[in-house]
Structures are given as structure tokens and as C-alpha cells.
Amino acid sequence: MVSPVTVVKSEGPKLVPFFKATCVYFVLWLPSSSPSWFSALIKCLPIFCLWVFLLAHGFHFVVTRGSVKRIFAGLIFSAVGDAFLIWQEQGYFVHGLLMFAIAHILYSAAFGMKPLDLKAGVVMGLISGFLYILLYSYLSGPFTYLVGVYTALIAFMGWRAIAGIQLCNDLWTWTKLSACIGALLFIVSDLTIAVNKFCFPVPRSRVIIMVTYYAAQMLIALSAIESRDEDDFKKLK
């Protein structure tokens, strides 16, 4: 198994643009009340940097490996969703929701259906069902169904990420653990959005949403590196 130190040495430099772009977002902290193309660019810039992070491993690496290609496509839809959410008060919230729903489908496909781990699926189903019941009384109109479908999709994505780690059987890798943590952080981010938008104001909601969101996307992008040969890392030792 590749050590975390080796991973940091190999992948850390490629993530420097992402960390810088994330810092730019939090330093500028553009108000969501005055949406503009510039604020959309600043918000999407960290995700653009994750595109570059994957492409830094080679264009051939991205286009020839199914799981990597799906994660890359998920990042593209995420960036489009980010842009739509800049104008959510102007009626584009549903558009953003749709883009992220597609991203979750792509991430789920990237994580795959093996191992199945039905126990994890049942647990995620119960948790997501409970959360939807809590949100249901605050929902109205199309959101009653849209939020339900979205909750099911992100819960499914979380299940597929969790199923991959197999801690008890010692069959996990750092990339699978990265996918698992990333998926759970994505759920925290989206749950905070839902509670803040439909239920009641969440203190420091924007900080919680964006910190967990950027961390989630970075970890999911990192999970794509599983497709590389461990020999590439061993050369760095």
C-alpha cells in the first residue's frame, strides 16, 4: 500500500493551484447578493484547477480510464452548477440542482457497484430518508419531489463511496478512503444548503457550505488517481 507521505510528495504540488484558487475565493468573499460573471469565475476557479489537476496526469489518463473520465465530467457539471447557483435568487437554483444531480450520478458510476455492501446501502437509505422527512414539512411545490430525488442520488453516491473502503477486510486504499470522506463532506455541504434555504438560517452557513464543498471535490478528484500504477509512486521513494 502506498504511504500517505509518498502520496503527498507526488500529488501535493499538482494541487497547489487548487489551494491558491480556494484562498482567492475566501479572501475576496464576493457577496452572493450581487451576482456577476466575475463572482461566478472566482467561485468556479478551484473546480477548474481540479480539471487541471487530473489533466496534469496526462490527457490519455483522463480519457482512457472510465472512472477518471466520469469524475472529470462530474467536475465539469459541478462547475456549471456552481455558476447557476450564483444566480439562484434570480430563479436558477433548480438548474444548479440538476447539474449537481448529474455530477452525483457520474461520481456514483465512477465509484462502481463492487463491492456491493448492502448494509452500508441500508444505513445510507435510512439516514437519507430520515433527513428528507425532516425537510419535507418545509418543502412545497416542485421542491417536494426535486429535493427527494436529489437526496436519493447523493445518498446513493455516498453509499457507493463508503462501500469501497472495506475497512474490516483491510481491502481499502487511500484513494477509496479519499472518495468516502469526500462523499460524506459533499452530503454535509448539500444538507447545510437545504436547511439554510428551506428550513431556517444556519449560522456561518456559507463558510460551512464552501469549505466542505471544496474539500469534497478535491478528495473525489484525488480518488481518481487510483487508476495509476503504484509503481509511479514507488519511483518517488
Side-chain angles (χ1 to χ4, degrees):
M1 186 178 296
V2 181
S3 72
V5 174
T6 305
V7 172
V8 171
K9 287 181 179 179
S10 173
E11 304 304 325
K14 299 184 185 75
L15 284 170
V16 168
F18 166 79
F19 289 120
K20 288 183 176 179
T22 303
C23 288
V24 168
Y25 173 82
F26 285 107
V27 168
L28 293 180
W29 202 241
L30 299 171
S32 56
S33 57
S34 54
S36 67
W37 286 108
F38 180 68
S39 59
L41 173 63
I42 295 302
K43 185 182 181 185
C44 295
L45 193 57
I47 306 304
F48 295 160
C49 290
L50 291 177
W51 299 358
V52 176
F53 166 73
L54 290 180
L55 289 171
H57 295 87
F59 182 76
H60 184 265
F61 167 74
V62 173
V63 300
T64 59
R65 290 169 168 82
S67 61
V68 181
K69 186 161 50 177
R70 294 180 187 104
I71 287 176
F72 189 82
L75 289 169
I76 293 175
F77 278 100
S78 295
V80 177
D82 278 332
F84 275 130
L85 291 183
I86 287 287
W87 284 276
Q88 61 178 292
E89 299 302 327
Q90 286 71 36
Y92 288 95
F93 181 79
V94 173
H95 300 72
L97 197 70
L98 176 61
M99 293 299 102
F100 279 108
I102 295 172
H104 293 321
I105 292 172
L106 287 165
Y107 290 157
S108 298
F111 299 151
M113 292 300 296
K114 293 180 180 180
L116 191 60
D117 197 351
L118 288 176
K119 290 182 180 178
V122 171
V123 171
M124 284 301 299
L126 291 174
I127 292 173
S128 62
F130 175 73
L131 293 175
Y132 178 68
I133 290 172
L134 293 179
L135 291 170
Y136 183 81
S137 60
Y138 295 94
L139 302 173
S140 60
F143 285 114
T144 304
Y145 310 102
L146 291 175
V147 172
V149 172
Y150 188 88
T151 300
L153 287 175
I154 195 170
F156 184 82
M157 188 267 289
W159 168 35
R160 297 322 310 147
I162 292 170
I165 57 174
Q166 297 287 293
L167 290 174
C168 294
N169 298 326
D170 198 28
L171 297 176
W172 63 281
T173 62
W174 71 267
T175 49
K176 290 178 180 178
L177 186 60
S178 177
C180 177
I181 296 172
L184 294 176
L185 286 175
F186 221 134
I187 292 172
V188 171
S189 180
D190 282 353
L191 179 61
T192 306
I193 291 175
V195 173
N196 189 66
K197 183 174 182 63
F198 299 112
C199 304
F200 51 81
V202 176
R204 300 186 179 276
S205 60
R206 192 174 168 199
V207 176
I208 297 170
I209 291 166
M210 297 312 297
V211 167
T212 53
Y213 170 69
Y214 285 141
Q217 293 283 33
M218 180 195 70
L219 290 168
I220 290 173
L222 269 172
S223 74
I225 310 307
E226 183 175 18
S227 297
R228 294 182 67 196
D229 292 330
E230 291 197 356
D231 290 342
D232 293 342
F233 292 102
K234 290 176 182 177
K235 292 175 184 177
L236 301 172
K237 290 184 178 180

